[in-house]
Amino acid sequence: GENVEQHPSTLSVQEGDSAVIKCTYSDSASNYFPWYKQELGKRPQLIIDIRSNVGEKKDQRIAVTLNKTAKHFSLHITETQPEDSAVYFCAAQMDSSYKLIFGSGTRLLVRP
Amino acid sequence: EAQVTQNPRYLITVTGKKLTVTCSQNMNHEYMSWYRQDPGLGLRQIYYSMNVEVTDKGDVPEGYKVSRKEKRNFPLILESPSPNQTSLYFCASSVVALHSYNSPLHFGNGTRLTVT
C-alpha cells in the first residue's frame, strides 16, 4: 500500500527566513497531495494541495512543488512569521483508493 | 456554521469499559473518517465510510467499531479499550471520498482519550 515519509520531524527557523518540508510517497499511482496545518491544540486544516498534472502551485507565501519522477513533493513557506508555527502534515491519495495517507508530521517553530 | 462536532473532548476511562465517541457533521457530506494521532506517527486512519451503511477498515482498525446509520453521524466504538488506544482521535468528513480542494477533509476538534 501507499506509504508517505515526511522530513524533517522538527524545523526551527528565524522569522523572515524560508522553511521547506519534504515528503516522499511510494505508490506512483498517487495523484493528489494536500498539506494540512495543525496549530497547537487545534484541528488540522487544509492549506494547499496539488494534483499530479501540475508541477507547482502557489498561494501567497506558501507553495507546493511536485516531482512525479522522484515521487516527492515539498511545502515551501517564505518570509516565515510566528503564526506559521504549527505541525504540518503532508498526505497522498490515489484516485482508485479512498484512503488519504498522511506523513508523520513536521513541527515548525518560527523564532521571533 | 458548517462543522464537524466530536464529543467528548476529553475522556479518561479504564481498561475494558466500553465507550463511544460521537461524531456529527452538518454539511451533508458523504464521506466520513476516523483518525488517531500519535507522536511521530502522524494521522492514521481507523475506519472510513463512503455513505450511509457503507463502512470500511482503514490502516489501524483493530479494537474499534463504527456505524453509519445516518448520513450525519459516524460514532467510534471501543468495545474493550486498552492502554494502547490512548491517543488523540479526530473525526473528519468531506463532500465525497475523492479529496480535492473542493472536497477537502474537515476535521473535528479532536477527542483526547486516556485508557488506564
Side-chain angles (χ1 to χ4, degrees):
Chain A
E2 175 66 282
N3 183 48
V4 178
E5 293 191 1
Q6 183 171 348
H7 300 281
S9 56
T10 60
L11 179 59
S12 180
V13 300
Q14 194 70 38
E15 182 178 358
D17 288 349
S18 294
V20 181
I21 303 169
K22 298 180 180 181
C23 289
T24 58
Y25 58 98
S26 59
D27 197 321
S28 56
S30 292
N31 56 13
Y32 175 64
F33 308 95
W35 286 88
Y36 284 79
K37 175 183 180 182
Q38 184 182 28
E39 296 177 1
L40 188 62
K42 300 209 174 162
R43 70 188 82 185
Q45 291 190 295
L46 179 70
I47 55 171
I48 195 168
D49 60 4
I50 193 168
R51 292 201 71 88
S52 58
N53 57 347
V54 176
E56 183 176 6
K57 184 176 179 180
K58 285 184 180 179
D59 184 2
Q60 299 182 343
R61 295 186 298 107
I62 60 173
V64 56
T65 58
L66 171 65
N67 183 325
K68 286 169 54 180
T69 303
K71 292 190 285 187
H72 66 68
F73 56 112
S74 301
L75 178 71
H76 304 254
I77 306 174
T78 59
E79 300 172 25
T80 53
Q81 301 167 6
E83 52 263 39
D84 294 329
S85 295
V87 176
Y88 292 82
F89 292 100
C90 64
Q93 184 184 34
M94 298 179 282
D95 276 354
S96 61
S97 167
Y98 302 111
K99 293 183 180 181
L100 192 62
I101 306 299
F102 285 87
S104 53
T106 297
R107 184 174 298 278
L108 173 64
L109 174 64
V110 180
R111 306 186 306 274
Chain B
E1 180 190 350
Q3 60 185 358
V4 179
T5 304
Q6 284 178 239
N7 280 298
R9 289 293 309 276
Y10 302 92
L11 180 57
I12 300 173
T13 190
V14 296
T15 299
K17 186 175 181 182
K18 180 180 178 180
L19 65 91
T20 300
V21 184
T22 64
C23 174
S24 180
Q25 51 91 7
N26 61 1
M27 297 170 278
N28 201 36
H29 285 173
E30 289 186 357
Y31 181 88
M32 297 187 74
S33 183
W34 277 101
Y35 293 87
R36 60 178 289 174
Q37 182 177 3
D38 302 289
L41 297 177
L43 292 156
R44 294 180 294 166
Q45 190 177 48
I46 303 170
Y47 268 94
Y48 64 94
S49 170
M50 301 216 302
N51 215 322
V52 177
E53 302 290 3
V54 181
T55 63
D56 208 346
K57 296 177 180 178
D59 295 314
V60 288
E62 294 77 22
Y64 305 95
K65 285 174 58 178
V66 294
S67 68
R68 188 92 182 272
K69 294 186 172 63
E70 308 161 284
K71 199 171 188 178
R72 63 185 292 125
N73 296 323
F74 191 45
L76 180 69
I77 303 156
L78 284 72
E79 294 270 3
S80 182
S82 62
N84 64 12
Q85 292 178 298
T86 292
S87 187
L88 177 60
Y89 291 85
F90 285 100
C91 180
S93 71
S94 61
V95 176
V96 292
L98 286 179
H99 305 297
S100 69
Y101 205 78
N102 294 321
S103 178
L105 271 178
H106 295 264
F107 285 86
N109 280 325
T111 296
R112 187 165 293 281
L113 172 65
T114 301
V115 183
T116 61

